[in-house]
Amino acid sequence: MQDPELADRIAQRMAQVDAALDAATRSADQLADDAGRHLVAAGGKRFRPLLTLLAGELGDGTVPELVDAAVVVELTQVASLYHDDVMDSAPVRRGAPSAHTVWGNTVAILVGDLLFARASALVAGLGPEAVVLQSRTFERMCLGQLHETIGPRDGEDPVDHYLQVLSDKTASLLATSARLGALFGGCPPEIVEAVTAYGEKVGMAFQLADDVLDVASSGAESGKTPGTDLREHVPTMPVLLLRRLVERGEGTAADADLLARLDGDLSDDAALAAVVADLRGHAVLAGTRELAHRWAREAAAELAPLADGPVKQAFADLAEMLADRTV
């Protein structure tokens, strides 16, 4: 954030969020306590609480409900990660062993449910509107995961299907994070709607950037081993663009070979490293970068109704930073 006073206020409130998260994930039961605090203790970007606190600054950023709302969205996100990692067989999350590799699938799923319950209890204290909003967001997240699991219907474009999955599974919670902040900050309806649309579109940029990082990063940026999604054959935009290229007959023999290897057994580290290296130099990765940048630009355009100032600038800078993660 370019404004030091804004940065200081957000940092102080983020410290309150972290303390409240720690309290919300504690349990008298030792197993529930250890497993429930595992991913929160591992850190993470806290991107969703940041959106909540920053949107609150467009109104009264001092109200205590903003901290509770920020904890709700982060708990919801963390709970979903326990389930995602089981479904994706992901070995690492946030630079630490994923919960299911430590305690097993059953415990990881139940702890995810436990954290969803904690988020639901906390959001109940924020009132009926927040409860309905969190419920509808959770529904979208579940539908996004379901549709990712079953894949596109016959005749449905896989790229369009994937973008809808991202909208529901990822962007919905970012939109809700910003919306809760604006609501409890007391912002007028046009500002609430603007930051909600911003959150949705910046969420798309965020996930597309992660698709690039799964291939292009060393692992430090994403907290995951490079190629984790490729190994588990989780659909990502670079692979979908490559598949469309080959299926339309617009690809080369090398493209077809790369796609065949991506569809094959990638359990061997050398095989995975080879396809990661080939994708890093391919035009489909550049295409995914451009998509991330496009969604970030569209997110920034939603900020037009906001008054000029440090908060609006911080939102715009955040969108740009997300796209720049792909470089």
Side-chain angles (χ1 to χ4, degrees), residues 91-319:
V92 176
R93 171 68 69 175
R94 294 180 171 178
S98 53
H100 73 93
T101 66
V102 179
W103 292 282
N105 288 350
T106 301
V107 169
I109 292 168
L110 290 171
V111 170
D113 292 343
L114 175 65
L115 295 182
F116 275 126
R118 298 277 174 87
S120 299
L122 190 57
V123 79
L126 294 174
E129 186 174 6
V131 171
V132 171
L133 181 57
Q134 199 250 8
S135 298
R136 289 175 175 168
T137 305
F138 187 28
E139 178 184 15
R140 285 186 66 189
M141 293 172 69
C142 291
L143 286 171
Q145 183 64 66
L146 176 65
H147 293 152
E148 179 181 82
T149 301
I150 64 176
R153 299 183 301 271
D154 289 344
E156 184 179 9
D157 180 76
V159 172
D160 290 342
H161 171 269
Y162 183 63
L163 290 173
Q164 186 60 54
V165 165
L166 298 190
S167 176
D168 290 333
K169 182 179 173 181
T170 300
S172 63
L173 185 56
L174 275 78
T176 292
S177 300
R179 188 177 190 88
L180 285 172
L183 281 171
F184 288 105
C187 296
E190 63 270 18
I191 300 302
V192 174
E193 295 305 324
V195 297
T196 301
Y198 168 90
E200 179 88 22
K201 291 181 176 179
V202 90
M204 299 293 287
F206 180 84
Q207 188 57 59
L208 288 165
D210 264 8
D211 282 0
V212 174
L213 289 175
D214 184 57
V215 175
S217 78
S218 63
E221 298 96 330
S222 62
K224 299 191 297 182
T225 302
T228 295
D229 290 338
L230 303 180
R231 169 169 276 165
E232 300 301 327
H233 300 110
V234 176
T236 62
M237 186 57 74
V239 177
L240 291 172
L241 292 177
L242 178 65
R243 191 178 305 282
R244 184 165 69 179
L245 195 68
V246 172
E247 290 179 350
R248 289 179 175 179
E250 299 169 355
T252 65
D255 293 335
D257 174 71
L258 175 57
L259 183 61
R261 287 185 287 133
L262 284 164
D263 288 340
D265 183 5
L266 294 175
S267 58
D268 179 72
D269 289 344
L272 179 64
V275 297
V276 167
D278 287 346
L279 270 181
R280 280 177 178 168
H282 201 286
V284 294
L285 194 66
T288 305
R289 281 194 180 96
E290 174 50 35
L291 281 173
H293 279 267
R294 191 194 79 190
W295 280 102
R297 290 192 299 269
E298 292 186 7
E302 296 289 351
L303 302 173
L306 277 59
D308 290 338
V311 178
K312 182 176 182 178
Q313 186 63 53
F315 272 122
D317 290 343
L318 184 58

